[in-house]
Amino acid sequence: MTRTLFTGGHVFDGTGAPPQPADVVVEEGRIVAVGTGLDGDDVVDCTGSTVLPGLFDCHVHLMVNGLDPEGWRATPFSLPFFQAVHTMRATLAVGITTVRDACGADLGLQVAQQQGLIRGPRTFLSIEQLSQTGGQNDPWEPSGCLSPVFVPHPGRPDGVVDGPDQARRKVREMVRAGANVIKIATSGGVVSPRADPRAAHFGDDEVAMIVREAAAAGISVMAHAYSAEGINIAVRNGVRSIEHGYFLDDEAIDLMLDRGSWLVPTLMAGPGTLRAAAAGMSVPEHMLANAKLITEASMDSVRGAVAAGVKIAMGTDTGVTPHGQNLDELPLMAACGMTHAQVLHAATLSAARLMRLDDELGSVEPGKRADLVVIRGGIEPDGMADRVVAVYQDGELVHQRATTGG
């Protein structure tokens, strides 16, 4: 059995300790030792670098490439599946070895990655977002036409539901289709053609039913929620994580603290949409207006949550923004009052805890799967993607930055 030794650098182990000089030994895809003066058969020289746990992104859309409804309508149905091969590689290349797809990807994408047919982060699925009629995921346009972001198919059922009975059945359909988490929308959002992001959606009875049915299947619920009341409806009925949370108020923050809920801020989504529009992408006026609205509100909301001690896990809404730019989220989190170590913890062990994967992933500790990222320099979040040297998944080198000779 070959022992691979990562030596000569610092290790940020993800447990909350600052980076320390240390070696890491990997054997058969697992970390077997962390310390100083260790030995191995194959040596990876990490001099001048820091070894991190594999990073998480708890909110991506692997089947989307920008907010471009006109482009969506002109895209052949199967093309996004082929494009996802490249989006997954781009995600892996910045050190993200695990993602939670927040709707769009189906079971085939997950299985293809598991079987090694495509290289990418291990992917956990929500399949499709559940929303009420007239809500975030209702594709109805004023003309009466339907313009869904994701066209329903046998592996991706439609997500519009009303009432507890429909909600119960739809959760069961998503579980049948392979969902590892149930995604709901308790407010409108940027893409909503007919829904105000500041309005609350779904009633307590509907959300309670969704959470109950998900729990019966052994999985949790994540809620797209911008508005304070939409957040409150989700949290008081047992939703595990609030996605976005752009209009948090003190009541919502207190409730999240009381219930132990997580916040996945996705701070880069609004500014990224505005940059895409400025660069010439055809973003509809309602999406542009909503993006401006959330960009102005999001930083203050997340600052309040950070100061209060709400649990934070890293997520980006990538797909809305270009794939491979996920780590642009990290300096935005730091600007909300998180230390560099807290930012990286949110992208490693905190994220693993949110996804209930912390027994296997999220930290550099003996016994855990050897998902490792080697970066030049220290853990400062600015420009981290450009400093990724190598990415390992279960001990296998899955990405290495190309070097040029002189």
Side-chain angles (χ1 to χ4, degrees):
M1 293 179 289
T2 301
R3 288 164 56 92
T4 301
L5 173 69
F6 296 77
T7 187
H10 285 66
V11 174
F12 177 85
D13 65 13
T15 65
Q20 299 287 342
D23 302 331
V24 180
V25 178
V26 172
E27 189 175 306
E28 294 190 320
R30 296 274 175 175
I31 298 166
V32 296
V34 181
T36 55
L38 304 179
D39 60 12
D41 305 306
D42 295 336
V43 176
V44 178
D45 184 2
C46 299
T47 303
S49 299
T50 303
V51 179
L52 314 174
L55 304 177
F56 283 67
D57 190 331
C58 297
H59 194 119
V60 301
H61 298 282
L62 294 171
M63 299 283 286
V64 175
N65 285 281
L67 290 181
D68 183 12
E70 291 298 325
W72 298 338
R73 284 189 279 271
T75 297
F77 171 78
S78 61
L79 184 60
F81 293 89
F82 295 98
Q83 291 173 330
V85 174
H86 301 283
T87 65
M88 293 180 80
R89 286 176 179 164
T91 304
L92 196 61
V94 295
I96 294 171
T97 60
T98 303
V99 299
R100 188 173 61 165
D101 189 90
C103 77
D106 70 2
L107 186 59
L109 196 69
Q110 183 187 69
V111 172
Q113 189 275 332
Q114 291 172 343
Q115 292 184 354
L117 298 176
I118 56 178
R119 179 163 280 180
R122 59 178 63 79
T123 301
F124 293 82
L125 306 170
S126 62
I127 305 293
E128 182 57 287
Q129 179 175 228
L130 308 190
S131 78
Q132 68 182 42
T133 296
Q136 162 75 350
N137 204 35
D138 185 347
W140 186 90
E141 301 282 358
S143 64
C145 296
L146 302 181
S147 299
V149 178
F150 300 113
V151 177
H153 66 79
R156 188 171 60 209
D158 172 74
V160 177
V161 297
D162 296 289
D165 289 340
Q166 286 187 12
R168 176 196 292 117
R169 179 176 179 83
K170 193 59 66 172
V171 170
R172 293 174 179 177
E173 287 183 12
M174 296 301 166
V175 172
R176 180 178 67 184
N180 308 112
V181 61
I182 299 299
K183 167 89 177 290
I184 66 172
T186 57
S187 79
V190 167
V191 302
S192 305
R194 307 295 294 170
D196 187 335
R198 292 162 294 190
H201 291 172
F202 277 142
D204 287 283
D205 56 345
E206 294 166 311
V207 178
M209 177 63 76
I210 290 166
V211 171
R212 185 158 62 247
E213 281 301 309
I219 60 178
S220 58
V221 179
M222 58 191 292
H224 162 107
Y226 288 5
S227 71
E229 183 51 32
I231 294 166
N232 291 342
I233 288 171
V235 173
R236 68 174 172 252
N237 287 291
V239 167
R240 185 166 175 82
S241 70
I242 297 300
E243 313 297 304
H244 317 304
Y246 295 141
F247 299 107
L248 280 164
D249 61 13
D250 290 343
E251 179 185 357
I253 288 172
D254 287 344
L255 187 60
M256 292 183 73
L257 290 170
D258 181 63
R259 302 299 176 89
S261 306
W262 293 79
L263 176 64
V264 181
T266 66
L267 291 162
M268 60 189 282
T273 301
L274 298 180
R275 284 196 300 271
M281 181 175 283
S282 179
V283 179
E285 283 301 317
H286 76 274
M287 291 189 187
L288 201 55
N290 288 338
K292 290 177 181 175
L293 183 68
I294 65 171
T295 298
E296 292 167 359
S298 58
M299 297 294 283
D300 286 341
S301 291
V302 177
R303 284 190 189 101
V306 169
V310 172
K311 295 185 292 186
I312 308 289
M314 203 273 272
T316 63
D317 221 357
T318 292
V320 170
T321 52
H323 295 275
Q325 296 181 10
N326 311 58
L327 301 195
D328 288 354
E329 182 78 10
L330 303 184
L332 294 175
M333 296 167 72
C336 288
M338 300 177 72
T339 67
H340 294 173
Q342 288 173 329
V343 168
L344 268 188
H345 197 279
T348 53
L349 191 56
S350 284
R353 287 170 177 163
L354 164 61
M355 293 177 62
R356 296 192 171 104
L357 298 173
D358 51 302
D359 285 346
E360 291 278 291
L361 296 163
S363 58
V364 182
E365 297 181 271
K368 290 201 171 182
R369 297 171 74 160
D371 279 21
L372 301 170
V373 184
V374 182
I375 62 169
R376 291 195 309 273
I379 63 169
E380 58 277 7
D382 289 338
M384 185 174 288
D386 294 331
R387 295 187 285 115
V388 172
V389 175
V391 183
Y392 294 80
Q393 198 174 42
D394 288 330
E396 178 188 357
L397 179 64
V398 292
H399 175 78
Q400 188 167 33
R401 181 175 294 278
T403 58
T404 56

